[in-house]
């Protein structure tokens, strides 16, 4: 039998601080993002459909930008462009199944003038289910590469837990 919330909202249907989507966190140079596998994520065999791992990883990368203080939406709306995946290599090791509680671990590998290399792992406990190497490039609304703002490079270096002088060149 479902248990009632210990502190229900004052008015029915109102939204409070606890009613928020999943959020990740940055710990020791990596971003950790929780994902639960829902029925819609699975195929007829009961395992996660292969393309959904890409969705999980995209959500994690987007959340990492927010946690790092990068407002990609405002930058895009101001005409400054947005990130686009320009390369992707993925390896499926083991399947995720309905109701699995996964963690998507994102690590920044290299920062260049217009792009960033990212390694991501989909984990079930200590087991790697899927891993990918992703290159995301900042591109103009017309699709041309753009130099990443210096503040974003600094934010990425902080996420990585290091301030190496050779990054971002």
């Amino acid at each position: 039998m479902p248990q009632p919330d210990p502190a229900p909202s004052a008015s029915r249907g109102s939204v409070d601080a606890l009613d928020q989507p999943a959020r990740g966190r940055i710990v020791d140079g990596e971003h950790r993002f929780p994902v639960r596998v829902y029925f819609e994520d699975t195929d007829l065999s009961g395992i996660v459909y292969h393309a959904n791992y890409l969705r999980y990883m995209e959500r994690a990368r987007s959340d990492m930008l927010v946690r790092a203080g990068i407002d990609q939406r405002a930058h895009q709306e101001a005409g400054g462009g947005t990130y686009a995946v320009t390369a992707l290599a993925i390896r499926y090791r083991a399947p995720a199944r309905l109701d699995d509680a996964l963690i998507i671990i994102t690590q920044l590998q290299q920062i260049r003038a217009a792009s960033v290399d990212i390694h991501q792992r989909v984990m079930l406990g200590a087991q790697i289910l899927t891993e990918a190497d992703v290159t995301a490039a900042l591109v103009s609304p017309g699709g041309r590469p753009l130099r990443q703002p210096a503040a974003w490079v600094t934010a990425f270096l902080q996420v990585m837990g290091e301030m190496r002088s050779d990054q971002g060149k």
Side-chain angles (χ1 to χ4, degrees), residues 104-124:
I104 315 308
I105 298 176
T106 303
Q107 293 175 298
L108 302 173
Q109 301 292 302
Q110 184 176 8
I111 303 163
R112 289 185 295 283
S115 66
V116 60
D117 291 336
I118 304 162
H119 183 75
Q120 292 186 281
R121 297 184 316 271
V122 178
M123 307 290 295
L124 179 60

Side-chain angles (χ1 to χ4, degrees), residues 19-116:
D19 296 325
Q20 297 297 315
R23 292 172 50 135
R25 59 193 179 107
I26 298 170
V27 178
D28 296 330
E30 61 186 28
H31 177 264
R32 302 173 65 83
F33 185 76
V35 173
R36 174 151 317 271
V37 175
Y38 295 107
F39 183 77
E40 68 182 15
D41 297 324
T42 62
D43 62 18
L44 291 175
S45 66
I47 62 173
V48 171
Y49 180 67
H50 71 277
N52 287 331
Y53 293 96
L54 298 173
R55 294 177 195 271
Y56 300 158
M57 290 179 196
E58 177 66 34
R59 291 176 196 158
R61 289 191 309 273
S62 294
D63 187 75
M64 180 195 60
L65 292 175
V66 172
R67 299 297 137 242
I70 295 171
D71 190 344
Q72 183 178 212
R73 179 178 173 177
H75 190 73
Q76 179 184 23
E77 288 174 354
T82 190
Y83 283 107
V85 172
T86 59
L88 171 71
I90 190 165
R91 180 174 181 210
Y92 300 97
R93 294 174 172 236
R97 300 180 189 285
L98 180 64
D99 288 331
D100 281 351
L102 308 175
I103 298 292
I104 315 308
I105 298 176
T106 303
Q107 293 175 298
L108 302 173
Q109 301 292 302
Q110 184 176 8
I111 303 163
R112 289 185 295 283
S115 66
V116 60

Side-chain angles (χ1 to χ4, degrees), residues 153-167:
V153 171
T154 299
F156 285 147
L157 291 171
Q158 289 172 346
V159 168
M160 293 172 75
E162 57 188 276
M163 294 295 287
R164 294 191 343 217
S165 61
D166 64 333
Q167 295 293 319

